[in-house]
Amino acid sequence: MPQVVRSRIGALHGPSPVPPLPHRFRSLADRESVEVLHRAARVLVASLPALTDRLVEALYAQEPAYRAAIDSDRAEVWQEVHHSLRHNVGSLIQPREFRESAHRTSRWIGEIRAEQGVPLDAVLHAFRMGGAMVWQDLVDETARRDPDDIRLLVHVAADVWNFVDEHCGVVADAYRQAERRQSWRRENRQRLMVAALLDGTARIADLAEAAEMLGLPEQGRYAVLAVAGADAAGGAGAGAGAGSAAASRAGVARHGPGVAARPPVELPVGAPGAAVLRHPGPDAEFAILPLTGSPGELGELAAALDVPAGTRAGIGSAVEGLAALGDARRLAETALRACPASGGTVLLDEHLPDALVVSSPALAGALADRVLGPLDRLDPADRDVIVETLTAWLDADGSAQRAGARLYCHRNTVLNRLRRFEQLTGRCLTRPRDAVEVSLALAARRLLGDV
């Protein structure tokens, strides 16, 4: 119980060091009422252990949230209740001396109950139960000593309950601040753990704790998604600038300094009941995708991705266990580098030749120069026609007829351009080795540019 009387009691005890909260009711307390209150409160101070016993028993019977704490350590709960009652009942007699200590006690209780996970409603209920029990004991003691004094005690009732409400506010504020600190610490630990898993720096000894913290199976099957904007250093580059994870259900959004926020990439849910965790990296956004292990699952996930225009997304190959998430991230980054600069989605398992090219840009560039270098001596327009025809022919599985349909020209035109390419480069497109080198060289020029 905190200070009870504010309007006239100041004449007896001096000004309060803490400005009182606004009243809902005007205090009716006078000198006589205060004296009646003090007489009854002194009796309560003398019987605080018995009052503490009764309040602890009442909490056990009426507030289920406190039952586990009392069963676990009744002595600790008893000391907490006794400490609070001693300061609060003391405030009835000496408000100036006890008010700040009573506030500190209430803040302390709010903080420790938040850390213990006791619901705030239960903590506030416990405070009101204590207020009701103290008030009833004040009434009973006054009636025992002199029933006529009850009419005087009633004058301080509004002040008593206003102060109970004030302390409930102190408790609630301390509780919520402690909750915010806990939430920040928990989220920060999760971010650090996800970063360590994706970097491949997590210790084997920490994997069990990480699995519990993140709600993921330690030996589950996973893939990693990497997302970046198309306006970044695409192709062989690392991807988009740093961004923040989207606030959507399972989205990855890119935000850069001075860049308008892009629509988030909506991720399909992976394994039932498993969370999709996101993490902003310096060059791309990442998402850990829990998998069920069903055949074709990665392809279904890639098809289900809702990737906005101008955004690149890469999904790496599946890995086993949290310990392999570092490898999964590197695979996802490789898939991202294999994305077209204009945007799109690349599933690494379906673009392995492109992945080989972007994994070694220097060697890929050397191959492109060796195979396609002779074309650079042509007029750019002439060179582009040959490259476009060669690409269409390879995409059509070597069919001049289908390539001509794509290019809106006769099949003989396609064959003539292919023969010219062979003459200029010394390559034979019917020789498997040459066809592979040509295909990789074209991929290098497409993904890496003129390296």
Side-chain angles (χ1 to χ4, degrees):
M1 289 294 307
Q3 173 189 355
V4 176
V5 183
R6 303 188 188 88
S7 60
R8 300 182 187 176
I9 202 170
L12 301 177
H13 300 286
S16 171
V18 181
L21 295 181
H23 282 269
R24 182 176 299 175
F25 303 102
R26 183 175 64 86
S27 175
L28 300 175
D30 54 22
R31 183 180 295 273
E32 267 192 294
S33 302
V34 170
E35 289 175 353
V36 169
L37 174 66
H38 284 185
R39 283 196 299 269
R42 289 189 187 99
V43 175
L44 262 64
V45 170
S47 60
L48 272 182
L51 176 59
T52 303
D53 287 340
R54 287 192 288 120
L55 182 51
V56 171
E57 290 299 327
L59 286 173
Y60 190 86
Q62 300 178 37
E63 185 46 70
Y66 271 77
R67 200 166 295 155
I70 295 172
D71 282 336
S72 174
D73 195 337
R74 176 178 288 265
E76 181 182 355
V77 176
W78 192 96
Q79 288 294 339
E80 174 193 311
V81 172
H82 184 267
H83 191 68
S84 179
L85 287 173
R86 180 164 58 84
H87 284 85
N88 293 336
V89 175
S91 296
L92 301 177
I93 306 168
Q94 295 176 297
R96 182 176 181 179
E97 289 78 0
F98 279 89
R99 186 180 185 186
E100 183 54 37
S101 62
H103 274 212
R104 284 198 302 269
T105 300
S106 295
R107 285 193 293 269
W108 171 70
I109 291 174
E111 289 173 358
I112 64 171
R113 289 300 174 224
E115 291 171 0
Q116 293 168 348
V118 178
L120 177 57
D121 286 347
V123 180
L124 297 179
H125 183 213
F127 260 75
R128 293 191 175 100
M129 285 174 63
M133 189 169 290
V134 167
W135 175 250
Q136 187 61 52
D137 281 11
L138 291 171
V139 172
D140 291 345
E141 175 57 28
T142 302
R144 185 190 65 80
R145 179 185 294 271
D146 188 347
D148 290 340
D149 286 346
I150 293 293
R151 62 182 177 81
L152 297 172
L153 190 64
V154 169
H155 291 174
V156 300
D159 299 276
V160 171
W161 287 107
N162 281 350
F163 202 67
V164 171
D165 287 343
E166 179 181 330
H167 269 252
C168 284
V170 170
V171 169
D173 183 63
Y175 186 100
R176 294 189 181 102
Q177 288 185 25
E179 264 194 329
R180 286 192 290 271
R181 288 194 298 270
Q182 283 182 294
S183 177
W184 181 88
R185 287 195 296 266
R186 182 171 56 252
E187 291 174 0
N188 193 50
R189 287 183 63 208
Q190 288 179 344
R191 282 194 297 270
L192 292 174
M193 184 60 72
V194 170
L197 290 171
L198 290 174
D199 289 343
T201 57
R203 299 183 305 174
I204 298 298
D206 293 335
L207 292 180
E209 179 187 356
E212 182 178 0
M213 180 193 309
L214 303 176
L216 297 173
E218 184 178 349
Q219 300 302 327
R221 186 174 173 83
Y222 301 98
V224 170
L225 165 73
V227 178
D231 56 349
S244 61
S248 59
R249 169 183 61 84
V252 177
R254 177 188 179 275
H255 306 279
V259 180
R262 296 184 183 278
V265 175
E266 290 295 333
L267 305 181
V269 177
V276 175
L277 297 175
R278 295 154 306 205
H279 183 73
D283 300 311
E285 302 285 346
F286 298 98
I288 299 173
L289 305 178
L291 305 176
T292 62
S294 60
E297 183 178 14
L298 281 177
E300 294 172 3
L301 284 172
L305 279 179
D306 184 11
V307 180
T311 299
R312 298 180 301 123
I315 301 178
S317 303
V319 298
E320 298 291 340
L322 293 178
L325 282 177
D327 294 334
R329 175 191 61 82
R330 287 185 285 273
L331 293 172
E333 288 177 325
T334 299
L336 184 63
R337 291 195 296 270
C339 282
S342 58
T345 301
V346 164
L347 178 59
L348 184 65
D349 289 351
E350 296 178 355
H351 294 79
L352 292 177
D354 289 351
L356 288 174
V357 167
V358 298
S359 294
S360 184
L363 290 178
L367 176 64
D369 288 342
R370 179 180 177 85
V371 174
L372 303 178
L375 300 182
D376 294 336
R377 295 190 290 269
L378 300 176
D379 180 84
D382 194 15
R383 178 198 61 199
D384 291 346
V385 167
I386 294 179
V387 169
E388 181 184 24
T389 302
L390 189 58
T391 301
W393 180 76
L394 289 171
D395 289 343
D397 297 327
S399 169
Q401 185 73 35
R402 291 200 299 272
R406 293 186 183 187
L407 298 172
Y408 302 101
C409 64
H410 195 273
R411 64 181 298 274
N412 289 341
T413 303
V414 172
L415 293 173
N416 289 334
R417 293 172 181 172
L418 295 179
R419 278 194 292 271
R420 188 179 179 204
F421 168 79
E422 290 178 328
Q423 292 167 358
L424 289 170
T425 63
R427 303 283 167 170
C428 177
L429 293 175
T430 58
R431 187 183 303 133
R433 180 187 179 91
D434 286 359
V436 169
E437 290 185 352
V438 168
S439 178
L440 291 176
L442 288 172
R445 285 288 173 91
R446 171 171 52 84
L447 295 169
L448 308 179
D450 294 329
V451 293

